[in-house]
Amino acid sequence: MTTQQLHQNILDKKSFLCIGLDVDLNKIPQHLLATEDPIFEFNKAIIDATHDLAVAYKPNTAFYEAYGLKGWLSLEKTINYINQKHPEIFTIADAKRGDIGNTSAMYAKAFFEDLNFDSVTVAPYMGKDSVEPFLAFKNKFTIMLALTSNAGAFDFQTKTVEGEELYKTVLKTSKDWENSENLMYVVGATKAEYFTEIRKIVPNSFLLVPGVGAQGGNLQDVCKYGMSDNVGLLINSSRGVIYASNGEDFAEKAREEALKIQQEMAAIL
Amino acid sequence: MTTQQLHQNILDKKSFLCIGLDVDLNKIPQHLLATEDPIFEFNKAIIDATHDLAVAYKPNTAFYEAYGLKGWLSLEKTINYINQKHPEIFTIADAKRGDIGNTSAMYAKAFFEDLNFDSVTVAPYMGKDSVEPFLAFKNKFTIMLALTSNAGAFDFQTKTVEGEELYKTVLKTSKDWENSENLMYVVGATKAEYFTEIRKIVPNSFLLVPGVGAQGGNLQDVCKYGMSDNVGLLINSSRGVIYASNGEDFAEKAREEALKIQQEMAAIL
């Protein structure tokens, strides 16, 4: 997918909602546990109920790895289902990977080629040669952590590095990397005031924004300070949508929550 | 495993060698490709040939994920084989994970409980609440990136943060986290002169040291500046040992390379 296509999908659906598929067997409706693959059945129902309201889905790989081989199979089935049934959806492997060059190349192969995700999240700590192997893939996107939505973001990311916060150094430095046009960034919604500063550095990059809803962020504020000419935002909601109900009506209730967010987005657009 | 047991194993084997099991199907002997699980067969042969010379094995998860479900199965078989046949071996899942709290908890469960690794590598960028879920596991170790061995280490890790390099801030900050006694750190061998500074901050912590051999680091220098009272070093070699030959004698040649390193270590100890 290209960013132009992503932008067009946002306009068509009047939505920049990303739904996080963080499936915890302790939280899904218990009747699904009797099925052969409860994680996939859950995802399939959520996708069927919300695909016209969302432009992206984001499975967090931790929730699949936690179930070993079975979990990995559920992840494969989920990404294949999205790619086959809803090819217009932008898919994000929320994996937060990053390693030395030859190893990052293996991760890139795993997520971009084998699983055929459109994008993968990566961590910046190991620098340029840990990220560039991901950037080498054409029409695939590497979403790098800049400023995250958790309390620990203040441990290092906002520390002053040679006159400015570390996350700004990360943003600026990454712009010089090869194929940096394939970069997007994770910016937490719990700190809407930071978006103004971030947009000075990356005016047009897409930002993946977790932390709206369950983590306390405000959609209006994020859009006010963070929206670019091509929208440039993917707002993620995970628990608030997928666990709206844990009864047999879970998919219907998930749609209701997604619809509320999509309508708020449509009004903003 | 406890650090006391790890220290005792080092004394018993006169070795602090960690062998990295980074298996690339393009690099292993071609006759193994006819077997049902070439990755596991390769690892098994390497482990059988070197287990008395090494105190730790470190599969890098990227190399398994790159082969999807089959790769994940090979990883499971490899860790189970080590745990059953050589329970004295310290096992490291080189995964470089890190995410918000509930997600890190899922990763910790995956590596410590389901796969039963002794340790896992993590990235520090997201701070305290992204690492503490790993630290909560008793007699399991969390090996956090401090100063890595790649060129990109100089992009952020050595930048000055409020008067000192970022990697020092990372080391110091992490000492205050809950269960910080379960922390070890990744410190690249390509920068032996840094070990003096690092030992002032973490005098007794175990350091996992990649970059000796193929990446250019020198064992003598690392030991001179980095060794602590309880040895406190795990020196990793991956390609230099496991790809010593790509013929039918690969395991034998791997043993020869491991033996050279172990003998050098025995002399130092």
Side-chain angles (χ1 to χ4, degrees), chain B residues 104-238:
Chain B
S104 275
M106 295 301 268
Y107 280 128
K109 177 183 175 301
F111 290 109
F112 290 151
E113 286 187 354
D114 300 349
L115 291 171
N116 200 14
F117 275 95
D118 291 310
S119 65
V120 62
T121 59
V122 303
Y125 193 72
M126 293 182 69
K128 173 176 166 163
D129 54 331
S130 72
V131 179
E132 282 189 342
F134 291 95
L135 297 176
F137 285 74
K138 198 172 153 68
N139 293 336
K140 299 284 185 179
F141 294 90
T142 305
I143 310 179
M144 192 162 76
L145 299 179
L147 185 61
T148 58
S149 59
N150 62 321
F154 298 103
D155 283 333
F156 308 118
Q157 298 166 27
T158 56
K159 284 279 186 295
T160 302
V161 177
E162 296 167 12
E164 65 185 4
E165 290 103 321
L166 175 61
Y167 75 89
K168 290 185 186 171
T169 304
V170 165
L171 288 168
K172 285 181 184 172
T173 303
S174 71
K175 290 176 71 177
D176 292 331
W177 295 346
E178 200 171 347
N179 301 309
S180 63
E181 69 278 9
N182 295 333
L183 275 169
M184 299 179 174
Y185 301 94
V186 174
V187 177
T190 45
K191 308 170 188 70
E193 68 271 28
Y194 286 102
F195 279 89
T196 309
E197 294 295 303
I198 288 168
R199 278 301 181 203
K200 287 181 191 163
I201 305 170
V202 287
N204 296 310
S205 300
F206 264 87
L207 307 179
L208 172 62
V209 184
V212 170
Q215 291 179 60
N218 179 296
L219 180 63
Q220 301 287 341
D221 285 349
V222 170
C223 293
K224 180 174 168 191
Y225 299 110
M227 198 170 272
S228 67
D229 292 344
N230 64 346
V231 184
L233 294 172
L234 293 170
I235 305 284
N236 184 72
S237 180
S238 299

Side-chain angles (χ1 to χ4, degrees), chain B residues 2 6 24 29 38 41 51 56 63 84 86 103 114 136 146 148-149 158 168 200 210 212 216 227 254:
Chain B
T2 64
L6 177 57
D24 184 336
E41 291 303 327
H51 66 89
F63 289 79
Q84 281 159 24
H86 307 291
T103 309
D114 300 349
T148 58
S149 59
T158 56
K168 290 185 186 171
K200 287 181 191 163
V212 170
M227 198 170 272

Side-chain angles (χ1 to χ4, degrees), chain A residues 69-136:
Chain A
L69 272 181
K70 284 192 68 155
W72 200 264
L73 183 60
S74 303
L75 179 63
E76 278 195 5
K77 286 163 71 177
T78 300
I79 180 66
N80 289 341
Y81 185 76
I82 299 171
N83 283 337
Q84 282 159 23
K85 290 267 289 189
H86 308 290
E88 87 288 359
I89 291 282
F90 185 73
T91 52
I92 303 168
D94 195 2
K96 302 189 174 70
R97 299 297 198 261
D99 209 311
I100 60 172
N102 71 322
T103 308
S104 276
M106 295 301 267
Y107 279 128
K109 177 182 174 300
F111 290 109
F112 290 151
E113 287 187 352
D114 300 349
L115 292 171
N116 200 15
F117 275 94
D118 292 310
S119 66
V120 62
T121 59
V122 303
Y125 193 72
M126 293 180 69
K128 174 175 166 162
D129 55 331
S130 71
V131 179
E132 282 189 342
F134 291 96
L135 297 176

Side-chain angles (χ1 to χ4, degrees), chain B residues 22-25 27-28 42 238-246:
Chain B
D22 303 350
V23 187
D24 184 336
L25 289 182
K27 291 186 181 162
I28 68 174
F42 179 80
S238 299
R239 289 166 277 179
V241 169
I242 69 175
Y243 298 133
S245 158
N246 67 356

